[in-house]
């Protein structure tokens, strides 16, 4: 197989896959599937819809951990660009997506030039000019000896993945991976979340223009409120693909790692409940509001969300030691609390 600087990025996929994807999958097959990897490419179809250039070209997860990524350019003169994008995309290894893992492995390729790197997310590395640590020199994939080096490097990466896989928690959010949650397709990127819903699954979608305009008013009303979701892009409806899409900002707070005591949990819950309460309030303030727009028989935003919050808090029971806190969790799970009543609870108000 020959590399050519005149080919497009998509034309590079086959020879790159032959050197990277195929050895990973072959290694996994040889050890009986113990590697537990999923591989995906950044492409424009609905299967892996992305936002602009925020997502790497090549992604490999083990369990839910994104441990291996790659940036690919067609022209050999764009190698430095590939390296820059490798460093820029997903360069903050937050605990909610990486647990205690503080490194990622990556490669940059342009034309026939390939180089592998470790991405160091430690505090010490952030003080250096670059968080990229070269694992190999620049390799020419057209050279037979260099191809052996590439294959050997990929096998060693597979061995690293296998070594750490037993220590990866199951609670991680898979960065850059599209997940189906109910009727929604959710993708977490480094600082935004993309949500997609097919038109056939979008409630009250008989008039999409009216529905999208209504949702835009909701998000506009929420701007600047710390307890409500903030929009980065959209909401939009793509008539050609028949999908509704909205891109939401994240606050860049590594939640799970910060919940070290009951006061941390209380602070998080107050933000969430304020958000739920104001979301309902903003619906009522908008003209043309219909009780059925965001509720099912009047119960969706008032009780079922509260029940889910109770289940979430139950998983954090080790951080909640007070009788008030434990009682609050049980009341949420009873499906009797609304967001308004929850905000008046003695635990939320720190009252006796």
């Amino acid at each position: 197989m020959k590399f050519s600087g005149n080919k497009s990025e998509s034309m590079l996929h086959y020879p790159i896959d032959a050197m990277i994807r195929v050895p990973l999958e072959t290694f996994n097959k040889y050890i009986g599937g113990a590697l537990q990897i999923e591989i995906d490419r950044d492409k424009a179809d609905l299967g892996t819809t992305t936002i602009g250039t925020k997502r790497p070209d090549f992604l490999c997860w083990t369990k839910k951990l994104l441990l291996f990524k790659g940036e690919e350019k067609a022209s050999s003169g764009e190698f430095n660009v590939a390296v820059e994008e490798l460093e820029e995309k997903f360069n903050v290894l937050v605990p909610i997506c990486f647990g205690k893992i503080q490194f990622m492995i990556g490669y940059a390729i342009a034309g026939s030039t390939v180089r592998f790197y470790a991405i160091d997310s430690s505090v010490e590395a952030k003080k250096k000019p670059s968080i990229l640590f070269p694992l190999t020199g620049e390799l020419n994939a057209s050279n037979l000896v260099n191809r052996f080096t590439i294959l050997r490097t990929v096998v060693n990466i597979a061995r690293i993945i296998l070594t750490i896989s037993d220590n990866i928690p199951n609670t991680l959010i898979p960065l850059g991976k599209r997940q189906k949650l109910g009727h929604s397709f959710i993708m977490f990127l480094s600082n935004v979340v993309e949500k997609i819903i097919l038109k056939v699954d979008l409630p009250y979608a008989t008039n999409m223009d009216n529905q999208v305009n209504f949702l835009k008013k909701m998000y506009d009303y929420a701007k600047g409120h710390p307890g409500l979701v903030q929009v980065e892009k959209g909401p939009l409806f793509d008539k050609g693909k028949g999908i509704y899409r909205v891109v939401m900002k994240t606050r860049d707070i590594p939640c799970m790692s910060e919940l070290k005591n009951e006061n941390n949990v209380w602070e998080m819950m107050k933000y969430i409940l304020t958000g739920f309460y104001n979301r309902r309030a903003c619906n009522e303030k908008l003209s043309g509001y219909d009780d059925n727009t965001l509720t099912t028989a009047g119960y969706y935003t008032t009780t079922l969300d509260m029940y889910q919050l109770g289940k979430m808090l139950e998983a954090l029971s080790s951080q909640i030691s007070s009788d008030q806190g434990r009682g609050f969790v049980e009341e949420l799970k009873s499906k009797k609390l609304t967001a308004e009543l929850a905000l008046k609870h003695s635990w939320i108000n720190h009252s006796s």
Side-chain angles (χ1 to χ4, degrees), residues 294-332:
L294 291 174
T295 63
T296 302
Y299 290 103
Y300 180 76
T301 57
T302 57
T303 59
L304 293 187
D305 278 341
M306 299 301 102
Y307 172 75
Q308 294 297 332
L309 283 177
K311 296 295 287 184
M312 181 183 75
L313 280 183
E314 192 173 42
L316 299 170
S317 57
S318 60
Q319 276 89 18
I320 302 175
S321 57
S322 70
D323 291 337
Q324 281 183 330
R326 288 193 290 265
F328 178 71
V329 175
E330 292 305 315
E331 288 189 54
L332 284 178

Side-chain angles (χ1 to χ4, degrees), residues 125-174:
K126 293 175 182 177
K127 298 176 183 178
K128 299 177 181 179
S130 174
I131 58 173
L132 296 182
F133 181 84
L135 297 177
T136 67
E138 292 186 13
L139 303 169
N140 185 350
S142 299
N143 178 282
L144 179 61
V145 175
N146 283 184
R147 286 206 296 272
F148 276 115
T149 302
I150 293 170
L151 291 172
R152 183 181 62 196
T153 303
V154 172
V155 170
N156 283 331
I157 291 170
R159 293 170 65 191
I160 292 170
I161 295 173
L162 184 63
T163 300
I164 70 169
S165 60
D166 288 340
N167 297 315
I168 299 172
N170 294 321
T171 55
L172 298 182
I173 291 177

Side-chain angles (χ1 to χ4, degrees), residues 18-35:
M19 292 187 302
I20 296 176
R21 179 197 290 260
V22 174
L24 282 173
E25 293 177 342
T26 303
F27 182 92
N28 190 32
K29 183 178 180 181
Y30 180 77
I31 61 174
L35 204 55

Side-chain angles (χ1 to χ4, degrees), residues 46 49 183 185 195-203 205 208 212 236-245:
L46 183 59
T49 301
H183 291 305
F185 297 92
K195 179 178 181 180
I196 291 175
I197 304 176
L198 300 177
K199 180 183 178 181
V200 293
D201 294 323
L202 190 66
M208 282 303 303
V212 171
L236 302 168
F237 178 67
D238 188 327
K239 295 181 180 180
K241 294 182 178 179
I243 58 173
Y244 164 84
R245 178 183 305 173

